[in-house]
């Protein structure tokens, strides 16, 4: 099985910092490749960033299908243009935000998301409403750290831990979803400290892609019709 | 007052077919200009098309603000990347889908949308859920006519009328919103035939933009924060 | 175009204090008239007050249609018997609460209402639920000032400002709707101070009425059927 | 215990046709009195009728409290101005629509209402949404018979039966609520024929009032504050 | 009329402490009997306890029907396997949680439940969502006292009172439902102290059962089909 | 990794018919064992059956933890007492209904469940509401075949296919979840015929259990507290 992980930003440094994590996370027999975009913003932190990255994400996802990958995992908790990607290809496309919510729902009644910024929190809240999971989400909080500053792991850990604790004490949450795949490496340590399940969105998306492939499940073509061919300027 | 109407596709023919309609629809004292995109698909009929058009929409909206327009009206019932546009500029940005739902809500308890294709119907349904208006929408139907084929007005009229009648008889609707700005010219004739209010989404968006300007109302910057400056590849 | 503004209370003093504001707010070419009721309570602050005023509101709205007005704007944020008014006449009837919510929805994802009293806050909350907008409302707060005491503008300003700030800081709101048309004159000053859009409900209702007239849109007669003739004791 | 039954229309004939039914339905020890309004429409079939009857309903309810009744049962499935009545007095006020929904909810997962006209069906649907019971209601149907024509019991029985059967077969309902207290006398016969519970709204309201009195439960004064004294013209 | 009250735990002491209360609460002419289970846990405080008690509850309910009782009142605010009980017999089965919510809904717009433990609060919240009443519930709070410790009435009273006050002041509630039938004897005293309606769940369930019997209403057999006969190991 | 599959009925024949399927479905390195109950009904087709099986399910799940299994997969689409099981043990407990809904949500916007009987359809619908996924479910249909009759695979295939086709054509569904683990062997063939994703609930649950174990994720102990020790009769 071959799953391609598409990080929907153009930062090669960020990609390089994640490759090893993702390879370790892949199930035996899954040859993952991790790519970022050739063009677009170096991080996705707003609807604006998403709009600018959109065509390049589609490009990478279509390329993955042509290269014979069995599935694509979109490595971003904002689920950027995931619906358009599903229209673009017939292989399953999982996405870090959506996949991590699905896994969290089997572990607790209410979970909270802790993401990087207010702008990503707003987008994540809208996604959750769009998905119809609103009644299961206690809160969406943010650590106020831009994506590319997550590389200062100690600072990031402290800030995320603080928000997660507030979510547990004040918001009545029972589990945490990390709201940025750049937080992936901190998941286990946070779980140990917090004593509640902490879902790593990057791994969640990768595993869900693997399940779909192994079970022979593909995106519904009624739900996500192939777009009609048309002129492009 | 100057409102810029941005049609988020690249079809100059489509733009030319709409210019006169929009100028007539503008309130006295509003100097509208109608533009389409320099790049991107010739019509927007799927999430895929939206993704490909996204950066060029942002570009036009930002240009409008620099040119000193007081507001932008996005002339597409799919509300393509409207959230990103609101982040990109400080002038109000209205959008044909959203604006027409808002007007319909003051005229009836339940309305139906009649749009062009199943793929646009799916997107419109998701928008309506995201906006939280689901309980007021009787149905989203489609006439099965691609956007650029709407120029055969007689055929379009018949197909839209048929769907609107089903919406009234079977779905319990009380008003119709046209789900594509290319249907704009048919609104009055449909209303006469159907005996229920038929909202023209292009005019709805233009008028809402005019109201916001005249009342001194701007997009909330808490809701739609200006994106942070960052490197683009 | 002629829009009649019906203030659904019997206080001529209150009416007189609003006339100039409304005339200034009317679009060029709209000859507004502002009336209050001949009978009923001097202010509408509870469901009880609404019940006592109800037949006199209907009377004024029917009179407006007979006098040839193109639309009626109900000048009360509690949207008192607006459904009955729509049944009573065929011209559009807008209402200050509903209209201001519709305008706010295009400017932010979540708005808060700041009204006069707990009893009006309760009614407004019920209206919002009935309209199906509950998921877009961060909170309904009240300044604890009876309608007729709003004439002490400085005191009113301070109290409304305080509640609006709590709404922004604690409730996560992104825009403010004033929940009483007696607060109309304070909207711009509050907006300047708060830095978020502040919607004036009286002007919102008037403008929405103007749009409906100019677009040839009328209340759906399927939604609001004309009542059958019957004996009255 | 003394419960006053207020029929919120001005038809003495209708009242007279219901008195015996209500007296039989009262629990032992409950001295019921049944009154209709001194003024207002002869039947309540629209929001318009409700508005015209509103002050006279309040009047009767206040009178009941002064006369020392322990509770009031509003004998109308449209729950006309029930909120205002609860503000007006401190004794419990039950209402035929609301009470019958509450009883139905303990007997089945989904119920349907069968009422008289489209206009009452619309109002009932709005009430149900306002009460937050929408997810438990399979449908609101109407027999297309004006209230005062229900006295032709055979015709009424057939029409209601037909709609109830459609509700069971097509709408997936599991129980029926009669949506007009004028249908009261048909409840048992319909239940026998349909094989599902059929709730008589007039008796439901009366019994609920009796329970509240016997359990010492009164309307929450936080929920329904006493209106402030004010000038009336 | 004969209503059997089934306490779904195995504590004879608990049963004995409730018998007198229930007998006093029964309407004249209703010969109640109060039983507890022959097997199962001595109190029901978790889904785990409910699972262990489940078959014995069914057994008691079926026995009641065979003994000729007209209805069963399940005397537990967790509504343990009430759906299964309704399948098992044709006589009405009311339950303390559900019945008390139904009564509270006619007295206030928003109520809060105060129960014994976090685990029962979680279950009650799930029930409320399942019943579709979520929008009417301000909060579910717990006094942190195990069921069998409620016999220290003074301590229980203080702890419940404290939570109810927080519900009124912070959660915006307007009425209280006691979330354990072991709190039954405290209802009136709490109501006096709090000034809002306090619903006793045990009496609510008993009264609702009495209403159903007196009105000739039975559980819908479409909603709760009789289970098919099958082999048991 | 060792996952124990607990079939919550007492039919050894049914168990034997599923063992091979489950073993094939397990990922490499997962030593699954498949057990059924020692006591209880031979199939679970109603809330009544669930109540009778409840304590024996708990027993098996606790035994699995003592035997050192890493997770339990409850092999029943009705998710029988899954909450109680999660309280009873600290290892993850997945369940066929819930797990299959989670997987379906990543493949389509709306799915339908096709189950065996009306009584299981009712229970599944209630579970879906309880989980908060209602807005994503197009319909819950049933093939009208008791669980143990599914062994006539040809008949079962035809009946399920027919219902799934109605779901696609009439209910607007985009994917199918099989609503009984006894249908497991038909999933692939149905998917081929229908052209939409068909989720096998037994495999979905098993895979989800494997993911949780491999990611080090456990049930939230805040969500599902360990029950307090207490006396059992």
């Amino acid at each position: 099985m071959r799953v391609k992980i598409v990080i929907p930003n153009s930062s090669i440094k960020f990609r390089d910092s994640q490759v090893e994590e993702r390879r370790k996370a892949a199930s035996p027999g899954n040859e993952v490749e991790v790519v970022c975009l050739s063009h677009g913003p170096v991080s996705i932190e707003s609807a604006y960033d998403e709009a600018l990255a959109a065509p390049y994400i589609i490009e990478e996802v279509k390329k993955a299908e042509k290269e014979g990958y069995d599935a694509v995992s979109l490595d971003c908790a904002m689920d950027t243009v995931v619906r358009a990607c599903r229209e673009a290809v017939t292989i399953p496309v999982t996405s870090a935000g959506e996949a991590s919510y699905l896994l969290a729902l089997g572990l607790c009644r209410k979970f909270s998301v802790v993401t990087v910024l207010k702008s990503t929190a707003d987008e994540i809240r809208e996604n959750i409403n769009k998905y119809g999971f609103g009644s299961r989400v206690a809160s969406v909080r943010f650590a106020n750290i831009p994506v590319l500053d997550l590389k200062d792991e100690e600072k990031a850990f402290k800030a995320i831990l603080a928000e997660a604790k507030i979510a547990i004490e004040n918001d009545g949450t029972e589990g945490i979803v990390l709201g940025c795949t750049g937080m992936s490496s901190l998941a286990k340590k946070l779980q140990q400290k917090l004593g509640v399940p902490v879902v790593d969105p990057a791994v969640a998306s990768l595993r869900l892609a693997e399940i779909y492939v192994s079970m022979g499940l593909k995106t519904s073509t009624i739900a996500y019709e192939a777009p009609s061919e048309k002129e492009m300027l």
Side-chain angles (χ1 to χ4, degrees), chain A:
Chain A
M1 182 195 318
R2 294 168 68 219
V3 175
K4 190 164 195 177
I5 294 170
V6 175
I7 299 176
N9 68 34
S10 67
S11 168
I12 289 174
K13 271 193 196 165
F14 182 83
R15 188 207 79 109
D16 289 351
S17 72
Q18 305 294 318
V19 170
E20 203 189 0
E21 286 277 340
R22 298 299 176 276
R23 293 227 170 105
K24 276 192 301 187
S27 294
N30 177 10
E31 301 168 36
V32 301
E33 194 190 352
V34 186
V35 296
C36 62
L37 306 185
S38 56
H39 295 85
V42 289
S43 62
I44 303 294
E45 298 173 332
S46 61
Y48 179 85
D49 291 341
E50 289 184 275
L52 299 187
Y56 311 109
I57 301 172
I58 302 292
E59 193 181 286
E60 276 303 329
V61 169
K62 286 173 77 171
K63 195 174 150 203
E65 185 173 53
K66 273 192 208 120
E67 293 166 345
Y69 281 93
D70 296 299
V72 166
S73 169
L74 279 180
D75 203 281
C76 178
M78 291 175 78
D79 297 341
T80 305
V81 295
V82 61
R83 195 185 174 318
C85 295
R86 286 178 182 155
E87 289 176 356
V89 296
T90 63
I91 54 175
V93 180
T94 57
S95 184
E98 187 188 55
S100 52
Y101 312 147
L102 295 173
L103 291 201
L105 289 166
L107 299 168
C108 50
R109 276 178 320 239
K110 288 210 176 239
F111 65 85
S112 287
V113 184
V114 180
T115 181
V116 283
L117 297 170
K118 182 187 178 296
S119 53
T120 60
D122 286 344
E123 195 75 0
I124 282 170
R125 226 178 268 114
E126 278 202 347
N127 283 340
I128 285 167
N129 287 342
K130 202 169 61 177
Y131 300 159
F133 301 158
S135 66
R136 302 286 296 276
V137 177
S139 56
V140 181
R141 295 189 158 274
F142 56 97
N144 216 13
I145 298 178
V147 174
L148 300 184
D149 292 5
L150 290 170
K151 60 179 178 277
D152 179 346
E153 290 211 349
E154 202 173 326
K155 192 183 146 197
F157 180 79
K158 272 186 198 163
I160 298 166
L161 186 69
E163 289 300 319
K165 279 183 173 170
I166 298 174
I168 292 170
E169 278 152 39
N170 294 4
D171 307 338
T173 205
E174 305 162 341
I176 300 293
V177 165
L178 297 179
C180 177
T181 57
M183 297 171 173
S184 202
S185 57
L186 304 170
K188 292 230 163 112
K189 224 171 109 191
L190 284 161
Q191 183 168 282
Q192 229 165 352
K193 201 84 177 183
L194 290 164
V196 300
V198 175
V199 182
D200 173 338
V203 181
S205 180
L206 178 55
R207 285 291 154 84
L208 192 62
E210 292 171 352
I211 283 193
Y212 286 152
V213 175
S214 78
M215 285 178 72
L217 289 166
K218 294 192 169 188
T219 301
S220 168
T221 53
I222 303 186
Y224 303 99
E225 284 187 298
S228 57
E229 293 285 319
K230 67 180 57 168
E231 202 189 338
M232 281 283 300
L233 287 200

